[in-house]
Each structure stands twice: as C-alpha cells, then as structure tokens.
Amino acid sequence: MSETAEWTEIDKSPAPSGDNHAKRWLILAVLGIAQLMVVLDATIVNIALPAAQRSLEFGDSDRQWIITAYALAFGSLLLLGGRLSDLFGRRRTFIVGLIGFALTSAIGGAAVNFEMLVAARAGQGVFGALLAPAALSLLSVTFTDPAERAKAFGIFGAVAGGGGAIGLLLGGALTEWVDWRWCLYVNLFFAAIALVGAVLLFAPHVTTGARPKLDIPGTVLVSISLFSIVFGFSKAESNGWGAGTTIAWLTAGVVFMAAFIYWQTKSDHPLLPLRVVTDRIRAGSYLAIFLSGAGMFAVFLFLTYYMQLILGYTPIVTGLAFMPMVFGIVTAATLSTAVLLPRFGPRILITSGMVIAAIGMTILAQISVDSTYAVHILPGLVVTGLGMGSIFAPSMQGATSGVRYEDAGVASATVNTMQQVGGSIGTALLSTIAASASTNYLVGREVNPITQAQAAVESYTTTFYWAAAIFAVGAVLTALVVRSGLLPTAPEGEPVLVH
C-alpha cells in the first residue's frame, strides 16, 4: 500500500461474495446515471435555448452565457473537485455533487430572469466538477478484476460518448412536448435515483491518521489557468482570434498553467502529482480524450444545424437521427474494452478509433443541400460512432490504469478536464472556421435563399473536414505517445466500495 493509504477509504464490509459482486454492477448503474446527467447537460440545454430566450426575453448576444457559465465553472474546478474526492472521500464528494447539481438544476428550471438562469448554470458547473471525477474514480477503484474492469469501463465510456446525442433527443422531446424548463428539472429524477443508490451501495468513508493537506497555491494557479483558457476560447468564438481580449485571456491561461506545473514539482502535497501524467499510457489517453473532445463538437453542433435548418427536421427527429451514432459508440465501447483491449492494448485501439472517426467525418463532409439521411448522413454517423467508442472507453480506462489509489480522483478529474477544454477549443476553432467558410462562399455571389443555404452547407462540410484532420493528427500522436503493450493491472489491496 502507498504511504497515504492509512487515511483513504476503508471498506468495512466482509470479504467479497456473490452478493457483493452483484452490487458492483448496481454501483456501475448508479455511476452511469450520474455520468449521463453531467454529459447530456452539455447538449440538452442547447436545444432549449431558443425557447428559454423567448420566455426570459434576453438577447442573442447573451445566449452564449447559458453555455459558457456552465463550461467555465465546470472546466476550471475539475482538478480541485477530483482532489477533494481523494482527500475527503469519493462517496461523500459524489453525494454532495449530486445534491448540489440537482438543487442548481431546480433553480435554473424555476428561473424568472436571465441572471438567475446563468447563476444556476454556473452552480451546475461547480457541483458537476465535484460529481464527474468522483464518479469515474469510484468506477476505477470499485472494479479491480481485469475482466470486470474492462466491461465496466466499456459501459461507462459508452455513456460518456453517447450522452451528448441522448441529450439532443431528450432536450428536443421535453422542449417540444412539455416546456424548456424540464430540460433542467429532469436532472432531479436522475439525481434522486443516483442518490438512493449511492447511500445504499457505497461504503462510508473512514479516516485514520493525519489527512494530507490540500495544495492551495496549486489550486489557485490551475483554476485561474483553466478559467482563462476556456474563457479565452469563448472570446475567440465571439470576438475573433486576433482580438486583444482573446489573446490576453489565452496568454494568461498559458502563463498560469506553466506556473502551476512548476509549482507541482515543488509542492509537498501537489494537487496533480506529475507521476499521474508522465506515464505514457495515461498521457496518451489524456491526449486522445482532448482531441476527440475537440473533433466530436463538429458532429453535435453543425450536423444539428444542418438537419434542422437545411433538411427541416424537428428537434425530436434530429435527436432520433443521432441514435445510430449512439448505437455505434455503445457497440464499439463495449467490444473494444471487453474483447480487444485485453489482447492488443490501448495503443492499437485508440489509434484505430482515431482513424475510423476521421473516415466518418470525411463521409459526413460529402453532404449537400439535396442530401438524404439514409444515403449521406447515416453511414457517416455509424462510422463516427464506432470510432468514438473505440477512443473513449479505452482512453478512460488507460487514463486511470496503474494510478495510485490516493490519486484516482485527480486522475479521473484530468480525464474530464481534457474533454472539457478540448470541447471548448473545438467550439471556438470550428465555429470560427465555419463562419469564414460561409463568408468566403458568398464572395462574388448574389445573396439569396439558395446561395445562403449553400453557404451554410459549405460551412458545415468545411468543419467536418477539419474535424477529420483533428482525428487524423490524433491517430499519429497517440501512436507515438502511447507505448505498446497491455494495461497494467489495478494495484493490489484496493478496497471494494460496497457494503
């Protein structure tokens, strides 16, 4: 056991039995519900934005803050949330995150003005930063048997990869059939189920001896850095890359990140021990999650625009149209971790997933104003889903493999941080590229409804090509960074978190 094992969570239950084995899969269901709630919240609100804007009467320029408030709080506090779960107990942190996320969702659903909705979304981000890393770290320390671990991470990775598409479907249904506020209220049902499961199934946190101290300077440095990076990219989307505010915020983010990394080499109790990220398998897994987060943005946003604005789909039909991609993600995630990962290791799987996702994006880039779903969209969605499933599940398992028990929370938080920052960069980069492509297409052409539609499609296909390039670069980088071989087995002596 490690030198800090004396203060970590202790399982007071008897030796594992058949009953405990069954409970582990119930724990996975609880963690999956919590993860789904956090992931789908990034897209379910997008569908509800136009209705919320009409209801609360705020302008187009304010609309981005409904998304940005959540992203800023979530992205900047993830590492802190992960470390808090290591220090104060994953069960406790998970439950606090669940309750807080539910309460802030209820406040957002009851919002009477724009300011109240933005504050609630920021609150969701704060508690999501506690909840998401706690869920992944609980998964990591609960499933220690290699075969069970592979299956569990396959299912969890499928939820993480497909949650965004499910959010589109659920958001469309709730907005069209009920009210936009239920896109927030629905979290109360997810949280209630997960809370009951957590209280009944998770072992209580027991501490003995002195508890390590929280790295306050490191927390401040990395929180400022991540906030600056996410905010800087949101400014790039609205103001352009050359704007002074964009450059200033991104520069600040880089400077504070450099200071944070330096401080981690000096701190007695580092927030993110560098041993977590210097392992080649974990480093490559974080890189894969970062790049796939940036590339995946193109599918959810621009394909949604295409299906609704060009093909005239309703929000519900749009959500249903994404379901084959979810099927591809689930199939690839479960197959890759349960069957292929134990044989070939993460390097081949993640690299292959990047290549498959690049092919899927290239297929989607062939759409036109007159395209049909079955011929031009469905094949690209299925192929992209297979690629994403082959990336996400092995990367999540690789990112938490071989990590010390006391570092499981912050290692899991780094997974979520990479995905969040990657998504923010993808949002800014691809939105800027889309706007430029549309503008350039209209140069020298008569502006009318036909050319405007063609310009819009040109912007979508351009972003799909760029996303394909991101995945192609990801294939090369992960092949170089991730070392060959199988994943290390889980450290011995870790407690199983069941009663």
Side-chain angles (χ1 to χ4, degrees), residues 411-430:
S412 302
T414 306
V415 173
N416 292 282
T417 301
M418 291 296 102
Q419 186 175 2
Q420 182 65 33
V421 175
S424 298
I425 291 175
T427 300
L429 176 63
L430 297 176

Side-chain angles (χ1 to χ4, degrees), residues 65-392:
W65 285 105
I66 309 300
I67 307 300
T68 304
Y70 179 83
L72 287 175
F74 187 61
S76 60
L77 296 176
L78 273 166
L79 285 180
L80 173 60
R83 203 53 172 168
L84 289 176
S85 73
D86 289 331
L87 298 181
F88 297 103
R90 297 172 181 90
R91 177 183 187 268
R92 184 178 301 147
T93 307
F94 182 85
I95 290 175
V96 171
L98 268 179
I99 295 173
F101 200 93
L103 290 176
T104 50
S105 297
I107 293 172
V112 296
N113 54 43
F114 169 75
E115 291 77 14
M116 185 175 175
L117 181 57
V118 170
R121 289 287 288 165
Q124 283 183 305
V126 171
F127 288 104
L130 287 176
L131 180 60
L136 183 55
S137 60
L138 280 166
L139 179 73
S140 179
V141 300
T142 299
F143 289 89
T144 56
D145 176 77
E148 287 187 352
R149 187 179 177 90
K151 294 178 183 177
F153 270 90
I155 296 170
F156 196 83
V159 172
I166 295 173
L168 292 174
L169 175 59
L170 186 58
L174 292 173
T175 301
E176 190 167 328
W177 290 344
V178 190
D179 185 78
W180 70 267
R181 297 179 184 276
W182 280 95
C183 292
L184 293 160
Y185 286 145
V186 72
N187 290 327
L188 297 174
F189 296 97
F190 288 118
I193 296 171
L195 180 61
V196 171
V199 171
L200 294 178
L201 296 173
F202 296 172
H205 180 70
V206 179
T207 59
T208 59
R211 188 191 304 276
K213 298 177 181 178
L214 181 64
D215 178 15
I216 300 298
T219 299
V220 173
L221 289 171
V222 76
S223 296
I224 294 175
S225 172
L226 292 173
F227 181 94
S228 301
I229 290 171
V230 175
F231 190 68
F233 278 105
S234 70
K235 283 294 182 183
E237 181 183 3
S238 58
N239 299 348
W241 294 95
T245 52
T246 302
I247 295 173
W249 281 105
L250 293 179
T251 301
V254 172
V255 170
F256 277 99
M257 181 58 70
F260 168 72
I261 293 172
Y262 173 77
W263 174 251
Q264 296 308 281
T265 65
K266 304 296 182 183
S267 175
D268 294 331
H269 305 283
L271 179 69
L272 176 60
L274 295 184
R275 61 178 175 265
V276 173
V277 295
T278 52
D279 176 82
R280 285 182 60 187
I281 288 181
R282 290 196 291 269
S285 297
Y286 293 138
L287 178 63
I289 291 169
F290 171 82
L291 292 173
S292 59
M296 187 172 63
F297 170 79
V299 181
F300 289 135
L301 184 65
F302 295 108
L303 198 56
T304 298
Y305 287 165
Y306 173 75
M307 287 191 283
Q308 291 192 14
L309 300 180
I310 304 300
L311 300 184
Y313 289 2
T314 65
I316 295 176
V317 173
T318 301
L320 287 171
F322 276 101
M323 289 302 102
M325 187 179 77
V326 175
F327 177 78
I329 291 173
V330 172
T331 301
T334 53
L335 177 65
S336 63
T337 52
V339 179
L340 302 178
L341 189 61
R343 293 186 180 183
F344 302 106
R347 183 182 184 182
I348 293 177
L349 272 180
I350 296 173
T351 302
S352 300
M354 289 284 184
V355 173
I356 294 170
I359 294 172
M361 288 292 184
T362 303
I363 294 173
L364 290 174
Q366 310 309 309
I367 60 173
S368 66
V369 175
D370 302 319
S371 293
T372 61
Y373 176 80
V375 176
H376 302 98
I377 300 176
L378 179 59
L381 281 177
V382 173
V383 173
T384 301
L386 292 173
M388 296 303 302
S390 301
I391 297 169
F392 264 103

